[in-house]
């Protein structure tokens, strides 16, 4: 087991800068999600850590040992591929045994370890099957068993749940997390699915255009995004742009929005505010907003999407459409076209430097 | 699942008939009928031409077993087939690997073209051009002597190596193409998965890539071995006196001696031997894959 350090890593392919001076510390035993849209460089970064590709500049260390020029087969990593990459010419047991067998371990030891790994992923009885006889979820488990049976220092997962359907994906998320806790292995997980990143990881690094945008625990990034991109990519956010006042921003129409979290921006500079849709209270003019909701705007419901346990309202104001999510508490639902008051607290408002 | 498939295929045959018929009609007319005629000839004492007397006989087949020459030549031809096939694997497989896994885009197209080019030139022209290269004072001899500081004599013409060189040149594209197809179908992530598990490139090649490309190797080997065993053009032109093989003997029966019945009988013995070899080899090779 070992932590991973990536320091000032850059990599370009021709004119395309895939990674631009990325530095991240992946804590020992942690579950780290690299999140970003496609083309953000997250898979490139994973491949640098794995050793399939070497950085142009920068340092990569696993357990304190510099590995940036060490080929993949000597790095003692375990990797799960997006398409699982099971060897079709081998049985499930032989797939899992591959890493131990190329190392020349004794047969009896291999058999024991393979059985233990298959038990860990709850596939104890399927060792004799061929990969094509398995379901997607089972293949996923075999790929995981194969990656961890060699006791790697780091487990790398490249969008491992992307090919599974929704229900199975949720099961596998829980399963993956359980296994990771059980063996306590440092895990780096590449995904473009923000929900997956939020629910599974201890820390998240958000990448965009080859740069690290923000990194930290999921709660921290969600509650205190440092950029509009981080705010809108991890979860939903309403963004207001204006001039900083010292305690918030002033919108072009003169409305002020008070913010008490986020960056400190000198008055007069361009800044924006992000507010999560579930933090906004929506009411008709008659009802009084909660005490402390210093921010108040009026608008008109343009659309309502009912999703069972909650409803999303789209509220038009001053040429901007705001999004508000309301839990289904049985309260009266607002009709489209209805004028409404939106209110929220300064604590729920994150100030972002432009 | 199995039931559904069965129903599907039963329903599928009738509409498929119009699509299958032209091919099978053509095969019947172009291959089955002439071949049947040849089977018929092989049991005759003489050709039924110009009112010659003929009768049924097993003598043509008996000749193969009574005269050691034929079986010796057949063995030599089988050895030739084996050697040419092996050389085609040794030369063709790495080329196919590079084409499928290393090169991308334009450069792949260009190299591919070079592989297929021999198909576009006349076989006879190819062989005679080799003759110009291989003979003493030929292109190879002159070129090497121009470069090397000492004098060497290269005269490969009319030798066994010349026959091998000519045949490998003619048949290596088949190996490249069949191996290319199977190699290309191997997902790159399988190679990466192998290496991430600690396997060296060589171990990945041995345990993942070669087993997975076995179908291509087998198909290529069959496409090469069968015609090479019966080949006569390359052995005759490039082998000269040393180029007497089973195929050239059969050709002689048809073209020079005009003993069609014996030629036909020798051909069918060859066909039988080749089929037996393929039948025996198939399960072994399949297990290796």
């Amino acid at each position: 087991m070992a932590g991973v350090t990536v320091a000032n890593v850059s990599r370009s392919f021709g004119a395309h800068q895939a990674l631009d001076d990325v530095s991240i510390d992946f804590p020992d035993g942690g579950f780290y999600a690299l999140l970003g849209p496609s083309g953000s460089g997250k898979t490139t970064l994973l491949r640098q850590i794995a050793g399939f590709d070497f950085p142009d500049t920068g340092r990569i260390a696993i357990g304190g040992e510099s590995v940036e020029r060490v080929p993949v087969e000597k790095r003692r990593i375990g990797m799960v591929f997006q398409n699982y990459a099971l060897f079709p010419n081998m049985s499930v047991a032989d797939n899992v045994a591959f890493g131990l067998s190329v190392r020349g371990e004794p047969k009896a030891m291999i058999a024991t370890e393979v059985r233990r790994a298959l038990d860990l992923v709850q596939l104890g009885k399927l060792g004799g099957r061929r990969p094509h006889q398995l379901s997607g979820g089972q293949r996923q488990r075999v790929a995981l068993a194969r990656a961890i049976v060699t006791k790697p220092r780091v487990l790398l997962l490249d969008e491992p749940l992307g090919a599974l359907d929704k229900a199975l994906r949720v099961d596998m998320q829980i399963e993956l997390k359980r296994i990771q806790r059980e063996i306590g292995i440092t895990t780096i997980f590449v995904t473009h699915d923000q929900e997956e990143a939020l629910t599974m990881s201890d820390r998240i690094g958000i990448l965009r255009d080859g740069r690290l945008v923000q990194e930290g625990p999921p709660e921290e990034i969600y509650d205190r995004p440092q950029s509009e991109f981080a705010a809108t990519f991890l979860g939903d956010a309403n963004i207001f742009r204006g001039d900083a006042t010292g305690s918030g921003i002033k919108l072009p129409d003169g409305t002020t929005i008070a913010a008490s979290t986020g960056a400190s921006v000198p008055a007069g500079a361009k800044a924006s505010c992000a507010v999560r849709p579930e933090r906004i209270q929506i009411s008709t003019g008659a009802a009084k907003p909660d005490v402390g909701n210093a921010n108040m705007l009026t608008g008109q419901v343009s659309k309502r999407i009912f999703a069972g346990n909650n409803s999303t309202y789209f509220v038009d104001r001053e040429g901007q459409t705001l999004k508000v999510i309301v839990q289904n508490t049985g309260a009266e639902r607002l009709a489209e076209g209805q004028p409404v008051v939106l209110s929220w607290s300064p604590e729920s408002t994150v100030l972002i430097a432009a | 699942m199995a039931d559904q498939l069965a129903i599907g295929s039963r329903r599928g045959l009738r509409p498929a008939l119009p699509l299958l018929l032209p091919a099978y009609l053509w095969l019947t007319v172009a291959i089955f009928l002439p071949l049947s005629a040849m089977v018929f000839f092989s049991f005759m004492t003489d050709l039924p031409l110009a009112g010659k007397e003929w009768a049924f006989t097993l003598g043509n087949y008996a000749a193969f077993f009574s005269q050691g020459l034929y079986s010796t030549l057949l063995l030599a031809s089988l050895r030739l087939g084996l050697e040419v096939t092996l050389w085609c694997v040794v030369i063709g497989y790495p080329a196919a690997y590079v084409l499928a896994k290393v090169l991308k885009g334009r450069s792949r197209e260009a190299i591919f073209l070079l592989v297929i080019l021999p198909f576009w030139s006349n076989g006879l022209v190819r062989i005679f051009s080799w003759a110009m290269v291989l003979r003493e004072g030929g292109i190879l001899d002159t070129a090497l002597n121009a470069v090397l500081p000492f004098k060497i004599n290269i005269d490969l013409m009319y030798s066994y190596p010349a026959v091998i060189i000519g045949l490998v040149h003619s048949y290596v594209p088949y190996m490249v193409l069949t191996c290319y197809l199977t190699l290309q179908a191997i997902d790159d992530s399988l190679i990466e998965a192998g290496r991430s598990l600690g396997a060296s490139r060589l171990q990945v090649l041995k345990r993942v890539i070669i087993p997975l490309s076995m179908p291509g190797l087998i198909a290529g080997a069959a496409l090469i071995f069968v015609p090479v065993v019966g080949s006569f053009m390359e052995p005759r032109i490039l082998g000269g006196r040393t180029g007497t093989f089973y195929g050239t003997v059969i050709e002689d029966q048809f073209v020079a001696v005009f003993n069609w019945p014996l030629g036909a009988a020798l051909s069918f013995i060859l066909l039988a031997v080749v089929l037996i070899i393929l039948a025996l080899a198939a399960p072994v090779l399949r297990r290796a894959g």
Side-chain angles (χ1 to χ4, degrees), chain A residues 15-45:
Chain A
H16 172 63
Q17 181 93 19
L19 289 175
D20 187 1
D21 196 28
V22 174
S23 300
I24 305 178
D25 266 315
F26 301 90
D28 190 359
F31 198 117
Y32 197 107
L34 288 173
L35 179 66
S38 53
S40 61
K42 54 192 193 301
T43 296
T44 308
L45 180 57

Side-chain angles (χ1 to χ4, degrees), chain A residues 21-198:
Chain A
D21 196 28
V22 174
S23 300
I24 305 178
D25 266 315
F26 301 90
D28 190 359
F31 198 117
Y32 197 107
L34 288 173
L35 179 66
S38 53
S40 61
K42 54 192 193 301
T43 296
T44 308
L45 180 57
L46 195 77
R47 293 175 64 82
Q48 309 290 322
I49 298 168
F52 292 123
D53 189 39
F54 296 155
D56 298 331
T57 56
R59 206 178 83 92
I60 297 171
I62 300 177
E65 173 202 339
S66 279
V67 293
E68 63 269 4
R69 291 286 175 275
V70 176
V72 51
E73 60 266 27
K74 300 223 169 72
R75 283 198 192 183
R76 294 200 285 128
I77 53 122
M79 178 135 174
V80 176
F81 293 81
Q82 189 166 15
N83 62 357
Y84 317 132
L86 300 179
F87 306 125
N89 55 321
M90 299 178 200
S91 69
V92 164
D94 287 343
N95 260 282
V96 178
F98 187 87
L100 297 170
S101 129
V102 293
R103 222 190 262 170
E105 302 284 359
K107 281 221 165 68
M109 179 270 199
I110 294 178
T112 319
E113 290 297 321
V114 167
R115 208 173 312 122
R116 190 177 300 161
L118 283 175
D119 283 342
L120 183 69
V121 297
Q122 302 176 350
L123 284 180
K125 294 197 179 68
L126 300 185
R129 296 252 185 111
R130 290 270 170 155
H132 67 86
Q133 296 170 308
L134 302 179
S135 70
Q138 289 170 331
R139 279 180 217 181
Q140 165 75 68
R141 285 158 196 262
V142 176
L144 187 60
R146 184 178 68 175
I148 58 179
V149 76
T150 55
K151 305 219 160 39
R153 299 187 286 180
V154 193
L155 180 61
L156 306 174
L157 308 164
D158 185 9
E159 307 235 10
L161 307 177
L164 301 178
D165 60 57
K166 178 94 183 169
L168 198 55
R169 197 152 67 208
V170 173
D171 284 351
M172 277 311 294
Q173 285 175 6
I174 297 166
E175 182 78 359
L176 198 57
K177 193 74 194 159
R178 173 185 70 81
I179 293 167
Q180 192 263 338
R181 285 234 178 84
E182 208 164 311
I183 57 177
I185 187 171
T186 309
T187 302
I188 304 173
F189 179 92
V190 159
T191 181
H192 64 265
D193 183 335
Q194 41 130 338
E195 201 181 308
E196 215 162 80
L198 280 171

Side-chain angles (χ1 to χ4, degrees), chain B residues 62-76 246:
Chain B
F64 175 84
F65 295 99
S66 60
Q67 293 183 37
L69 173 70
Y70 294 128
S71 47
T72 310
L73 284 175
L74 181 56
L75 278 178
Y246 197 75

Side-chain angles (χ1 to χ4, degrees), chain B residues 28-44 46-48 54 56 60-61 254 260-265 267-268:
Chain B
T28 310
V29 174
I31 296 176
F32 188 70
L33 290 182
L35 219 56
S36 311
M38 277 296 158
V39 174
F40 188 61
F41 285 163
S42 72
F43 290 104
M44 292 168 127
D46 205 342
L47 278 182
W54 62 275
F56 279 112
N60 298 315
Y61 288 93
F254 284 98
W260 283 32
L262 180 59
S267 296
F268 285 111

